[in-house]
Amino acid sequence: MKRSTKNLVFTALCIAIGLLLPSVFHLFGAGSQLLPMHLPVLLCGFLCGVPYGAFCGLVTPLLSSLLTQMPPLFPTAPAMMLELCTYGALTGLFYQKLRWNVYPSLIAAMLGGRIVSGLANAVFMGMSGAAYGFEMFLTASFVTALPGILIQIVVLPLLVLALQKAGFLSHSGLRAAH
């Protein structure tokens, strides 16, 4: 199977997982703390590269909002779309294009996505008449999200490295398993 076909299939799988995981996590009231939608988007960027990771991050929150009303369509969904688009694009950029190692790629993408999230939330919350300051940004992006951040730091590198070791992933994207 061609690499672009594999990337498309894997991106669709990540979008599907990104729609399913939050619903499961929200059943237990742990969605905003464990960041389940972030995992498949970050993974998509690692495995498929910039355009696929960006697309996965842009589409997943929108579809989730339209199908489940999580996140709310405005102002949360547009901010999440930009944040997750950034995560998917940056993991693809740092890992696939620049060939950074897994951990620096993940950490840099997580920081970049959070910066975009803060800026987007300030704009969209402001448009909706809600206050959004630096303290709210720090609380939402780092304090409340700490369990999800830790899960990402532990789980994603293990997944990426396991897929590499299994021969499913090269440092430059998905490839055929041997």
Side-chain angles (χ1 to χ4, degrees), residues 71-97:
L73 193 55
F74 191 82
T76 311
M80 278 188 72
M81 291 168 64
L82 293 173
E83 174 190 15
L84 271 62
C85 178
T86 303
Y87 289 146
L90 290 181
T91 52
L93 173 69
F94 297 139
Y95 190 71
Q96 296 291 335
K97 295 280 187 206

Side-chain angles (χ1 to χ4, degrees), residues 3 10 43 45-48 91-92 94-105 155-178:
R3 184 182 192 181
F10 193 79
L43 186 62
F46 273 117
L47 300 183
C48 301
T91 52
F94 297 139
Y95 190 71
Q96 296 291 335
K97 295 280 187 206
L98 301 179
R99 298 194 179 280
W100 290 10
N101 288 328
V102 174
Y103 280 104
S105 298
V155 170
L156 286 167
L158 291 174
L159 276 173
V160 170
L161 296 173
L163 289 169
Q164 279 181 336
K165 190 171 185 174
F168 183 67
L169 168 69
S170 68
H171 201 74
S172 60
L174 292 176
R175 63 180 171 89
H178 298 305

Side-chain angles (χ1 to χ4, degrees), residues 1 4 8 15 24 27 35 67 90-91 101-102 106 127 130 147 157 163-164 168 173 175 178:
M1 193 181 326
S4 60
L8 285 172
I15 291 169
V24 171
L27 288 174
L35 311 173
L67 295 171
L90 290 181
T91 52
N101 288 328
V102 174
L106 177 61
M127 289 171 62
L163 289 169
Q164 279 181 336
F168 183 67
R175 63 180 171 89
H178 298 305

Side-chain angles (χ1 to χ4, degrees), residues 8-119:
L8 285 172
V9 169
F10 193 79
T11 300
L13 178 63
C14 285
I15 291 169
I17 293 168
L19 295 173
L20 179 64
L21 272 182
S23 295
V24 171
F25 280 60
H26 280 287
L27 288 174
F28 302 101
S32 61
Q33 295 84 24
L34 300 181
L35 311 173
M37 195 179 292
H38 295 60
L39 293 168
V41 171
L42 288 160
L43 186 62
C44 186
F46 273 117
L47 300 183
C48 301
V50 175
Y52 299 96
F55 180 77
C56 181
L58 193 65
V59 168
T60 304
L62 176 61
L63 288 175
S64 182
S65 181
L66 293 173
L67 295 171
T68 69
Q69 289 73 51
M70 296 181 303
L73 193 55
F74 191 82
T76 311
M80 278 188 72
M81 291 168 64
L82 293 173
E83 174 190 15
L84 271 62
C85 178
T86 303
Y87 289 146
L90 290 181
T91 52
L93 173 69
F94 297 139
Y95 190 71
Q96 296 291 335
K97 295 280 187 206
L98 301 179
R99 298 194 179 280
W100 290 10
N101 288 328
V102 174
Y103 280 104
S105 298
L106 177 61
I107 300 299
M110 290 168 67
L111 290 172
R114 279 173 173 72
I115 291 168
V116 168
S117 172
L119 294 172

